[in-house]
Amino acid sequence: MEEKLRKIKNDREVDFILIVLVTILVTFGVVMVFSASYYDSIYADGTPYSFLKKQAFFAVTGFVMMMIISHVDYHIICKGSNLIAGAEILMLLAVLFTPLGVEVNGAKRWLSLGLVNFTIMPGEIAKLAVIVLAATIFAKNKEKVKNLSGLMPVVLYTAVVCLLILKQPNLSTAVTVAAIAVGIAFLAGMQWRYVALMGAGGIGLVFYVVAKVREAMAADEELGYQLRRIVCFLDPFKFEDDEGFQVVQSLLALGTGGIKGTGLGMSVQKNLYLPEPQNDFILAIIGEELGFLGIAAVMIVFVVLVWRILMVAVESKDALGTLLAGGVAIMIGVQVLFNIAVVTSSMPPTGVALPFISYGGNAIWIMMWLMGIVLNISRQTQPATAKNKKE
């Protein structure tokens, strides 16, 4: 009887530190979105508070979603993995091939639902779909994942999703989705030879792209959208008036911030120099206003968050929980690294949001949903001490 009561008590517990870390990041994100968007907001809407109000709404509703999902058994969610995966494909197709697709700045990444100023971004939902589908399939077939036949369902689905996302075009999201799938497969027991094969394929693709760039430049041909971005990444200051403008302004912001920063709200680059600073390049404004120390503090919070999620994965009561939590940790880690790389011109500039901090409802809602799943896994996980006593 005591053991049953102890189990019930443990099932009701949740990782409070995870909630605190997410709250810190989201709250900080609201503050920085307000600071970064101040002049953009005045220019677009005549008031400095439009982005602040929207981000605060996304943050509050996202937090409510997270807490609700934390009480939903993750096994129930994963029973609908095929439905989620199918719906994601339909949404991606609708973006590209129906009038519901919304195009902005040459990219068709949004799906209009007919509501005023409200769109959804299937590329963000793809991350959730791949995590849930891959975790469900690999948890059911623990031995098959060691063979190519066991990997094929997830490989094929991920390939289709990534190809549709690339057509938008959205390279960073496609690479993030692929990295999530590979990471979960590795956690599930994928053999090293397949990892090496994928790595060789990635290196081959890099060499192919570089060769195409050199060939086009040697022939003085006009480069396509993606190739132009790669060339600008190699030398952004050479194209500072064109494709490299945003990256150059980002580097200037980071350089101006130095170690301690110019002070919260004192950024110069957000004054209509750095385009849309509240979005993918918000880290540049953080660096300018709070300096290297501010960025370091944010990175420490991210590192602790990822570590804590990995601990939930390790202590999960089953393989499904381990793979789900592991997938979320991989997603957050990859996005943070990609965002840093883009802002510092260490990789071609592609749209990748800084988790929990960048402006946008789709990104923050998906993140909060996934954190709700992680919290539910932690809620069903017995502490290590209890496990040892049972053993």
Side-chain angles (χ1 to χ4, degrees):
M1 186 65 179
E2 289 183 3
E3 183 177 346
K4 289 183 178 180
L5 290 175
R6 189 185 302 113
K7 184 178 184 301
I8 291 173
K9 181 180 178 181
N10 287 331
D11 285 349
R12 289 181 178 176
E13 292 176 352
V14 69
D15 195 322
F16 182 71
I17 295 179
L18 277 178
I19 297 177
V20 171
L21 292 171
V22 171
T23 303
I24 290 172
L25 288 172
V26 172
T27 304
F28 178 72
V30 172
V31 173
M32 290 311 304
V33 164
F34 176 48
S35 177
S37 66
Y38 192 88
Y39 295 107
D40 264 14
S41 184
I42 292 175
Y43 180 79
D45 302 315
T47 172
Y49 305 111
S50 59
F51 285 101
L52 170 64
K53 292 177 181 177
K54 293 176 184 177
Q55 189 71 358
F57 172 77
F58 297 148
V60 172
T61 53
F63 189 85
V64 172
M65 291 178 185
M66 180 180 73
M67 297 312 298
I68 292 175
I69 295 299
S70 72
H71 287 84
V72 179
D73 190 341
Y74 62 92
H75 297 90
I76 296 176
I77 294 175
C78 288
K79 285 182 180 179
S81 60
N82 291 331
L83 180 62
I84 295 172
E88 169 60 21
I89 294 292
L90 292 177
M91 285 189 289
L92 288 172
L93 291 172
V95 167
L96 295 172
F97 304 111
T98 73
L100 296 176
V102 178
E103 183 173 339
V104 179
N105 297 329
K108 207 171 185 181
R109 304 174 183 174
W110 297 267
L111 189 64
S112 174
L113 300 180
L115 301 176
V116 179
N117 295 327
F118 183 78
T119 57
I120 61 175
M121 211 172 167
E124 291 295 326
I125 302 174
K127 300 167 187 175
L128 183 151
V130 168
I131 289 174
V132 172
L133 182 68
T136 303
I137 291 176
F138 292 149
K140 290 180 180 178
N141 304 280
K142 298 178 183 178
E143 293 302 320
K144 289 185 178 180
V145 73
K146 297 179 180 179
N147 302 316
L148 190 59
S149 59
L151 294 171
M152 286 311 295
V154 174
V155 170
L156 292 176
Y157 178 78
T158 304
V160 171
V161 168
C162 289
L163 287 174
L164 291 174
I165 293 174
L166 284 172
K167 285 185 67 66
Q168 295 178 352
N170 193 345
L171 176 61
S172 61
T173 298
V175 173
T176 301
V177 169
I180 291 169
V182 172
I184 294 177
F186 180 75
L187 291 177
M190 180 175 64
Q191 295 185 20
W192 277 102
R193 60 179 176 177
Y194 297 129
V195 177
L197 182 62
M198 292 176 185
I203 294 172
L205 179 61
V206 170
F207 278 106
Y208 171 77
V209 172
V210 171
K212 292 290 290 181
V213 170
R214 288 180 175 177
E215 180 183 336
M217 292 181 70
D220 199 24
E221 296 177 357
E222 183 177 352
L223 299 174
Y225 174 78
Q226 296 292 350
L227 293 183
R228 288 202 311 272
R229 290 209 152 195
I230 293 174
V231 172
C232 292
F233 144 71
L234 296 174
D235 188 0
F237 286 91
K238 185 177 180 180
F239 303 90
E240 60 180 338
D241 294 327
D242 191 17
E243 296 289 340
F245 180 80
Q246 193 171 30
V247 173
V248 168
Q249 299 305 314
S250 172
L251 294 174
L252 290 174
L254 292 172
T256 302
I259 299 296
K260 297 182 179 180
T262 58
L264 185 63
M266 302 303 293
S267 166
V268 174
Q269 294 304 121
K270 71 183 181 185
N271 190 5
L272 304 181
Y273 289 104
L274 178 62
E276 300 181 354
Q278 68 276 2
N279 294 335
D280 303 334
F281 282 80
I282 195 169
L283 188 65
I285 303 301
I286 296 173
E288 184 180 5
E289 296 188 349
L290 303 180
F292 173 79
L293 295 178
I295 291 180
V298 174
M299 292 305 113
I300 289 173
V301 177
F302 274 121
V303 168
V304 176
L305 176 66
V306 171
W307 170 77
R308 197 73 187 185
I309 295 173
L310 289 175
M311 290 301 98
V312 172
V314 170
E315 296 177 359
S316 174
K317 68 179 183 181
D318 56 21
L320 180 59
T322 296
L323 296 178
L324 282 173
V328 175
I330 292 168
M331 182 189 73
I332 294 175
V334 167
Q335 283 200 208
V336 171
L337 290 176
F338 280 1
N339 187 268
I340 294 172
V342 168
V343 170
T344 58
S345 192
S346 300
M347 66 176 282
T350 56
V352 54
L354 187 63
F356 305 106
I357 295 177
S358 291
Y359 172 78
N362 286 271
I364 195 170
W365 283 343
I366 292 299
M367 284 289 177
M368 299 300 259
W369 265 73
L370 288 170
M371 286 307 304
I373 294 175
V374 173
L375 289 175
N376 183 260
I377 297 170
S378 74
R379 190 184 295 276
Q380 297 189 45
T381 299
Q382 291 183 343
T385 53
K387 289 184 178 180
N388 292 337
K389 288 180 181 180
K390 187 175 179 180
E391 292 172 358

